[in-house]
Amino acid sequence: MRKKNTKKNIDFDYWNLIKSSDRPLEIGIIDADLLDQGTRHPNLALLKISGYCKKFKHNIKLITDYSEIIEECQQNKYDILLMSKVFKFTQIPSEILSKIENNEIVIGGTGFFDMDSPELPYEIEHEMPDYDLYTDYITKQTDNFTKDVVKYDDYINFSIGFTTRGCFRKCSFCVNRKYDRVYKHSPISEFIDPKRKGIYLWDDNFMASSDFHNILDELISTGKPFQFRQGLDIRLMTDKKAERLANVKYKGDFIFAFDHIEDANKISEKLKIWRKYSKKSTKLYVLTGYESQDEIDIENTFKRIKIIMEHGCLPYIMRYEDYTKSRFRSLYIQLARWCNQPNFLKKKSFRQYCIANEDYHQSNTKVIKEYCSSYKAMIDFEMEFPEISKKYYDLRFEEINQYKNK
Ligand code: SF4
């Protein structure tokens, strides 16, 4: 976390105050992503900060409405207000932004500083997360755990941490470009809550870690199911790694990444290794709209989808924010809807999926309306690029999956 001003060492002023205050401080914690559109997982930095502050007996409150800040700032209720934002697109009300400008709120996170986001001090980074930080908020949101509980699964049921950090690849779209290598970050004991049923790992590139096997041993010894939440780097798969990963107690799907079409041959080769050992449901993130937003990017997306389907795996389309600038914006959306819902992808070709949408659309109106958005996006692209459409629109998962009977 750092305060966005020009004074030197202001960050340390705050951490020192937290450490040395001779009275309990009132500390308000603000998860900007939560207050904007909500997120599926807690803010790990805030969990650690909360754990650290509680160790010094300070009173921590998660702010759940911006109006609280306005009112309570006026009454000088808080000694410190800390805000974190992970996503750049998260919106913050102008009144709160002016409080940040006036240095009334300390800010941190990649959503504010991108890859220049300052690190937490060592002792906070390695503090046990305070998994209770969001409890009151979730209790309220779920009507005392009687509704929408699944939405908060990551908050309620999982210990979260990084066993390693860093990555050597430096992909230009990634915020993890600060480091040149992968290094061991935390033992599992540092963040595991024995009462929680599983473990989520947020490592940047676990597959590149020289501690791969030791860390797996450590994870297995917990007896709990675990999952690496970022796409694992399948380009680094080996027979030994595949055999080990395929036999652990893994939570949900294995998720790998297929970001660049230039890696097509390597990814095919590595998926073959993976399939030698694992029949488990496997997804690959497919980054779109990044290298370009034209027909070349659309074709590269289809090419990757095809390779993934051939290996009996599922593509998961990730749209880089620039896709919104594309004249094929609607097609990107339709591709994501088709791929990211396995029931559609497994049963229908892209063309069949769009036709089914159009049938539904027309059957739900008495007046013949315009084409639905998916059908329109499909035919508009086909009119302009019939050769690309001919190659990919009719591919069916069950026909091209080479592993369906294995
Ligand atoms: S491989 Fe993954 S973690 Fe590493 S730089 Fe690329 S996107 Fe980021």
Side-chain angles (χ1 to χ4, degrees):
M1 306 290 285
R2 104 177 150 190
K3 196 159 186 180
K4 198 180 184 182
N5 71 12
T6 50
K7 284 187 214 160
K8 278 190 178 166
N9 291 333
I10 191 87
D11 334 18
F12 296 106
D13 292 349
Y14 279 93
W15 305 131
N16 282 336
L17 177 62
I18 287 166
K19 224 183 330 190
S20 57
S21 172
D22 51 12
R23 66 170 175 89
L25 299 169
E26 300 299 321
I27 300 175
I29 288 192
I30 308 149
D31 178 341
D33 308 300
L34 181 78
L35 292 191
D36 183 28
Q37 301 187 25
T39 60
R40 278 184 48 215
H41 47 74
N43 181 308
L44 184 55
L46 292 179
L47 294 185
K48 290 177 184 178
I49 290 169
S50 178
Y52 183 76
C53 293
K54 283 186 179 170
K55 208 162 76 178
F56 293 97
K57 310 280 181 237
H58 301 308
N59 297 317
I60 303 299
K61 183 169 180 225
L62 180 75
I63 309 267
T64 55
D65 195 314
Y66 280 120
S67 61
E68 286 176 48
I69 303 178
I70 317 268
E71 283 162 27
E72 291 171 4
C73 272
Q74 276 159 3
Q75 297 159 15
N76 280 332
K77 183 176 167 199
Y78 290 107
D79 296 296
I80 303 175
L81 281 166
L82 297 162
M83 175 187 267
S84 174
K85 177 165 103 117
V86 173
F87 303 110
K88 270 196 273 183
F89 54 77
T90 289
Q91 300 289 316
I92 296 174
S94 54
E95 278 166 294
I96 302 299
L97 287 175
S98 46
K99 290 198 176 298
I100 293 172
E101 284 303 315
N102 290 336
N103 298 320
E104 290 170 62
I105 301 174
V106 187
I107 57 170
T110 49
F112 287 114
F113 300 106
D114 199 16
M115 62 176 281
D116 294 326
S117 182
E119 288 168 16
L120 291 171
Y122 183 90
E123 68 264 40
I124 303 181
E125 182 59 43
H126 292 278
E127 180 61 50
M128 173 64 82
D130 169 21
Y131 291 113
D132 272 339
L133 177 64
Y134 292 84
T135 303
D136 288 349
Y137 171 79
I138 294 167
T139 307
K140 217 183 268 176
Q141 295 299 311
T142 58
D143 240 340
N144 207 10
F145 298 90
T146 56
K147 60 164 201 189
D148 291 339
V149 181
V150 179
K151 202 165 142 194
Y152 298 101
D153 199 35
D154 289 27
Y155 292 80
I156 303 166
N157 291 316
F158 292 87
S159 302
I160 300 171
F162 292 89
T163 60
T164 65
R165 291 208 86 155
C167 177
F168 65 97
R169 292 206 187 267
K170 298 187 181 290
C171 302
S172 52
F173 54 82
C174 180
V175 290
N176 299 318
R177 277 173 286 147
K178 271 196 276 195
Y179 309 102
D180 293 319
R181 64 186 182 89
V182 177
Y183 62 93
K184 181 102 166 56
H185 185 67
S186 303
I188 313 293
S189 55
E190 193 174 285
F191 57 86
I192 192 167
D193 173 351
K195 297 191 293 302
R196 299 193 155 223
K197 69 178 184 202
I199 303 170
Y200 278 154
L201 302 146
W202 289 1
D203 298 40
D204 308 315
N205 196 340
F206 173 67
M207 296 289 283
S209 170
S210 54
D211 289 303
F212 179 96
H213 293 286
N214 293 337
I215 293 171
L216 273 192
D217 288 341
E218 222 183 313
L219 284 162
I220 292 165
S221 72
T222 66
K224 291 181 186 286
F226 61 89
Q227 187 185 47
F228 288 92
R229 302 290 273 172
Q230 316 288 14
L232 288 168
D233 191 343
I234 193 153
R235 292 166 292 183
L236 301 170
M237 187 62 81
T238 59
D239 278 83
K240 202 165 169 209
K241 285 179 184 167
E243 188 175 13
R244 287 219 67 198
L245 271 179
N247 288 297
V248 299
K249 202 173 181 184
Y250 209 71
K251 158 97 177 78
D253 298 336
F254 281 93
I255 306 173
F256 298 109
F258 188 175
D259 295 326
H260 313 284
I261 190 63
E262 298 73 31
D263 294 326
N265 290 341
K266 177 152 262 184
I267 301 259
S268 292
E269 175 204 323
K270 300 297 186 178
L271 280 173
K272 281 193 188 82
I273 296 179
W274 176 240
R275 279 303 185 216
K276 244 201 290 181
Y277 298 95
S278 174
K279 290 190 174 130
K280 271 201 87 168
S281 175
T282 300
K283 281 192 180 128
L284 282 91
Y285 288 139
V286 175
L287 179 69
T288 65
Y290 179 71
E291 283 174 5
S292 66
Q293 301 80 36
D294 52 11
E295 70 282 4
I296 298 171
D297 190 58
I298 296 287
E299 181 164 22
N300 287 343
T301 301
F302 271 120
K303 278 186 191 163
R304 285 177 287 161
I305 293 172
K306 180 170 182 262
I307 293 169
I308 292 168
M309 294 201 305
E310 283 169 348
H311 291 88
C313 303
L314 301 168
Y316 190 94
I317 302 288
M318 308 287 280
R319 283 169 285 160
Y320 188 73
E321 58 199 14
D322 283 356
Y323 92 93
T324 53
K325 298 178 194 154
S326 170
R327 66 194 180 94
F328 305 124
R329 182 179 177 278
S330 178
L331 189 63
Y332 281 109
I333 295 172
Q334 301 315 322
L335 282 170
R337 288 190 179 149
W338 171 53
C339 290
N340 299 358
Q341 303 180 78
N343 280 343
F344 290 142
L345 184 101
K346 283 182 175 171
K347 292 188 184 134
K348 293 184 193 306
S349 66
F350 182 61
R351 188 187 302 282
Q352 288 171 324
Y353 165 76
C354 294
I355 291 174
N357 277 333
E358 174 62 10
D359 288 348
Y360 179 81
H361 174 73
Q362 294 298 346
S363 65
N364 279 285
T365 177
K366 291 198 176 92
V367 187
I368 300 295
K369 289 201 279 190
E370 290 180 347
Y371 294 135
C372 74
S373 51
S374 55
Y375 191 76
K376 184 164 181 342
M378 177 190 80
I379 56 169
D380 284 353
F381 187 83
E382 188 168 36
M383 297 252 280
E384 222 179 315
F385 301 101
E387 289 308 314
I388 300 176
S389 312
K390 196 174 158 197
K391 273 197 256 175
Y392 301 106
Y393 273 16
D394 299 300
L395 294 175
R396 297 196 60 210
F397 181 81
E398 57 189 30
E399 284 166 11
I400 65 168
N401 172 11
Q402 299 162 10
Y403 294 82
K404 67 179 168 205
N405 297 320
K406 291 190 183 169

